[in-house]
Amino acid sequence: MTDRALAVVRAGALTTVQDLGRPGHAHLGVPRSGALDPSAARLVNRLVGNADGTAVLETTLSGCAVRPRCAVTAVVGGAPCAVTVDGRPAAWGAPVHVPAGSVLEAGPAVSGLRSYLGFAGGIAVDAVLGSRSADLLSGLGPPPLTEGTVLPLGRPQGPLPAQPAAAPWPRPPAELVLRIRFGPRDDWFTPEAPATLASGAYRVSSASNRIGLRLEGPPLRRAVTAELPSEGMVLGAVQVPPDGRPAVFLADHPTTGGYPVVAVVDERDLPAAAQALPGTPVRFAPAGRPGQGSGPTTAAKCRNPRRPGW
């Protein structure tokens, strides 16, 4: 191991290595994985001069602390938190110089849920199927970090880029609004189910994780009670298990599933879902009524899970 590495001093509740994931392998049963808030991962990388897809650390709620063996420039972004270097306050959301042997700590999230630590040169663990992301469902990629884990660092690609006056960090949502298109299995539910989904008072459940955003609220009633053969699932699918309470699939979701999908969330809204704390109100905003212009994920167009995009 060279001195271009860092050691984990405090792993926190859940800290993993993530990049932008490994899309394109669903036909092999491999989930996409990757940063749950890719917007934040891209921004920390850009601020330290990395390419967008460079691997970073993703923390969950309680942050983490690391000790680089070499001097490195780092950025902590995503969910706002206190940042320190050897116990002294440092900038959040902007580049910080961390001397060799010093401890960089991202504290517990003040708001939101997931913070991202980017380092000039990136986390250089071995790639699996083209990605360095840890996938909690399949076990691909490096395991969640533990105290004492040592991670290699890549070499910086050049000088730091010019820094913006204020980086565009979005605020974690006070209310999570998820735009949806109905289908492919909206016809498996009662005629009242779409209105229930669109008007129901849902909240993020504490049972949520990287696989899915579980929700508390009014159940969706099924009109078809037969078993559904396992079929392809996509990022943002709103799957409805037997208790009727919807769950939104996130980055580590399975590639197939046997419960009906009533709608699919617009992928642009999923970074905010990654930062939604348990108890956050959730509102679904339909882009069209079932069967009337709701796009390529309507029941009529998405029976075949091998269609492009599924």
Side-chain angles (χ1 to χ4, degrees):
M1 178 72 71
T2 70
D3 64 352
R4 289 209 59 80
L6 58 81
V8 178
V9 175
R10 182 176 68 83
L14 176 65
T15 302
T16 57
V17 176
Q18 299 294 338
D19 53 24
L20 297 183
R22 48 181 69 85
H25 299 290
H27 63 295
L28 301 175
V30 178
R32 175 185 306 207
S33 193
L36 285 195
D37 187 346
S39 301
R42 287 187 180 97
L43 187 48
V44 296
N45 272 323
R46 291 173 186 177
L47 290 172
V48 293
N50 293 338
D52 284 0
T54 303
V56 300
L57 298 183
E58 177 185 274
T59 74
T60 307
L61 193 60
S62 60
C64 72
V66 298
R67 187 192 304 274
R69 294 178 172 178
C70 57
V72 66
T73 299
V75 170
V76 179
C81 62
V83 179
T84 61
V85 175
D86 285 341
R88 295 185 295 273
W92 172 87
V96 172
H97 176 73
V98 185
S102 293
V103 174
L104 169 68
E105 181 157 21
V110 176
S111 60
L113 190 58
R114 293 177 171 90
S115 298
Y116 290 86
L117 285 71
F119 302 89
I123 306 295
V125 295
D126 292 338
V128 179
L129 292 177
S131 171
R132 294 180 168 91
S133 288
D135 182 344
L136 302 188
L137 184 65
S138 71
L140 293 176
L145 303 192
T146 58
E147 280 76 7
T149 298
V150 176
L151 299 172
L153 291 171
R155 295 199 172 275
Q157 298 304 302
L160 285 182
Q163 298 297 308
W169 298 105
R171 292 177 177 272
E175 179 190 44
L176 183 60
V177 179
L178 301 176
R179 291 167 290 182
I180 58 172
R181 291 186 181 274
F182 286 103
R185 297 294 180 182
D186 52 294
D187 57 349
W188 278 53
F189 295 86
T190 64
E192 297 77 24
T196 300
L197 187 65
S199 62
Y202 292 99
R203 290 184 177 275
V204 175
S205 165
S206 60
S208 301
N209 54 29
R210 281 186 49 87
I211 296 170
L213 191 75
R214 296 183 179 273
L215 302 179
E216 300 168 347
L220 304 181
R221 305 296 180 189
R222 283 175 57 169
V224 179
T225 58
E227 274 196 42
L228 177 69
S230 188
E231 60 184 3
M233 295 287 138
V234 294
L235 183 68
V238 183
Q239 192 183 61
V240 183
D243 67 3
R245 281 152 180 99
V248 179
F249 275 166
L250 300 179
D252 285 359
H253 73 85
T255 56
T256 62
Y259 299 136
V261 170
V262 67
V264 178
V265 173
D266 189 317
E267 193 169 328
R268 294 171 294 179
D269 294 339
L270 295 179
Q275 299 294 0
L277 287 163
T280 299
V282 179
R283 178 164 57 88
F284 290 97
R289 291 180 297 168
Q292 295 192 14
S294 52
T297 57
T298 57
K301 296 181 181 179
C302 286
R303 296 298 186 194
N304 184 354
R306 292 184 180 274
R307 286 185 60 85
W310 281 82

